[in-house]
Amino acid sequence: MDNITIREIKISDSEDFVIFLNIVSDETDFLLLNSKERNLDVGKEAKIIRSIKRERKSVIFVAEFEDRIIGSSGLHFNGKSNRVSHRATFSISLLKDFWGKGIASRLTEYIINYAKVIDLEKIELTVRADNEKAIKLYKKFGFETEGEIKHYFYINGKYYNAYIMALFI
Ligand SMILES: CC(C)(COP(=O)(O)OP(=O)(O)OC[C@H]1O[C@@H](n2cnc3c(N)ncnc32)[C@H](O)[C@@H]1OP(=O)(O)O)[C@@H](O)C(=O)NCCC(=O)NCCS
């Protein structure tokens, strides 16, 4: 899709970002939290975005369509310790209407390029083992499976395993 803009999140996006997160969190159960559990608040979100902007090794990119946030990808630095400062955690989600159009691939490219610029060595993620679309996306960019966690999720009376995946840069 040509009319999609990818850019870094701004503090002024807080309200739109909360709207996006609330919808995306309830459209699938592939994410860790639903909107109720997230309990999002525009003021709190603005603080989070501000702190991410201060932290060089964390970033959020948003995909925008007609002035609306329809997707996002993020890198979250794993703590203050020098001993883990070579790696960060990747997350990505898109509104369902926009799946299968290559937008997630563009959001992932932005993350990988950003990780190279800040000299990160490893990008990590956890994905539900039956999330085929996400796993195909990650493998396409060279992520490898490092392990499987049994019964990682418990959703509506059913257990799901998860893969730990990583990209070495
Ligand atoms: C996972 C997700 C981000 C993928 O987004 P997407 O826009 O469909 O991805 P893209 O269109 O960029 O496709 C990327 C790759 O995914 C795979 N893919 C896309 N649509 C697919 C489909 N319908 N079936 C199987 N694989 C598919 C393909 O390998 C594709 O590569 P290609 O374009 O070279 O064929 C999206 O489905 C989503 O937001 N899901 C809900 C949240 C989520 O699960 N996040 C990940 C949590 S770990």
Side-chain angles (χ1 to χ4, degrees):
M1 276 180 105
D2 296 338
N3 41 2
I4 301 280
T5 309
I6 314 268
R7 61 168 175 81
E8 236 182 285
I9 200 163
K10 297 180 279 194
I11 293 162
S12 57
D13 289 319
S14 304
E15 192 171 347
D16 285 350
F17 197 51
V18 165
I19 293 169
F20 160 73
L21 288 174
N22 276 331
I23 300 172
V24 90
S25 304
D26 291 339
E27 279 188 332
T28 73
D29 53 16
F30 285 128
L31 300 175
L32 201 57
L33 301 170
N34 63 32
S35 66
K36 212 173 154 196
E37 290 164 327
R38 276 184 185 263
N39 194 18
L40 292 163
D41 167 276
V42 176
K44 268 197 285 181
E45 203 54 40
K47 273 192 193 156
I48 293 170
I49 296 171
R50 196 171 285 118
S51 74
I52 283 172
K53 287 191 153 303
R54 273 200 299 262
E55 171 53 71
R56 189 172 155 263
K57 289 194 172 170
S58 295
V59 71
I60 296 178
F61 290 105
V62 292
E64 202 174 37
F65 176 70
E66 294 179 346
D67 290 329
R68 197 161 67 103
I69 295 174
I70 55 93
S72 79
S73 58
L75 263 186
H76 301 278
F77 183 46
N78 293 315
K80 299 270 175 259
S81 165
N82 285 335
R83 294 175 180 176
V84 295
S85 64
H86 57 293
R87 55 191 177 88
T89 305
F90 174 44
S91 59
I92 187 162
S93 54
L94 282 183
L95 297 185
K96 217 169 197 171
D97 282 350
F98 293 86
W99 289 6
K101 300 175 195 300
I103 303 167
S105 300
R106 286 177 59 196
L107 279 165
T108 305
E109 275 164 12
Y110 270 73
I111 288 292
I112 294 171
N113 289 338
Y114 186 86
K116 285 180 184 164
V117 169
I118 60 167
D119 291 326
L120 213 62
E121 291 173 34
K122 190 181 179 195
I123 302 176
E124 301 167 326
L125 62 89
T126 306
V127 58
R128 213 169 91 181
D130 61 338
N131 192 349
E132 286 174 23
K133 285 190 192 60
I135 292 167
K136 273 193 187 165
L137 169 76
Y138 303 143
K139 286 192 172 161
K140 183 171 108 173
F141 282 94
F143 281 78
E144 54 193 80
T145 307
E146 295 195 303
E148 181 168 7
I149 307 175
K150 290 187 178 158
H151 290 200
Y152 185 86
F153 290 100
Y154 180 70
I155 305 164
N156 297 330
K158 197 175 164 199
Y159 292 100
Y160 297 86
N161 294 355
Y163 295 129
I164 306 171
M165 298 183 78
L167 177 70
F168 287 88
I169 297 172

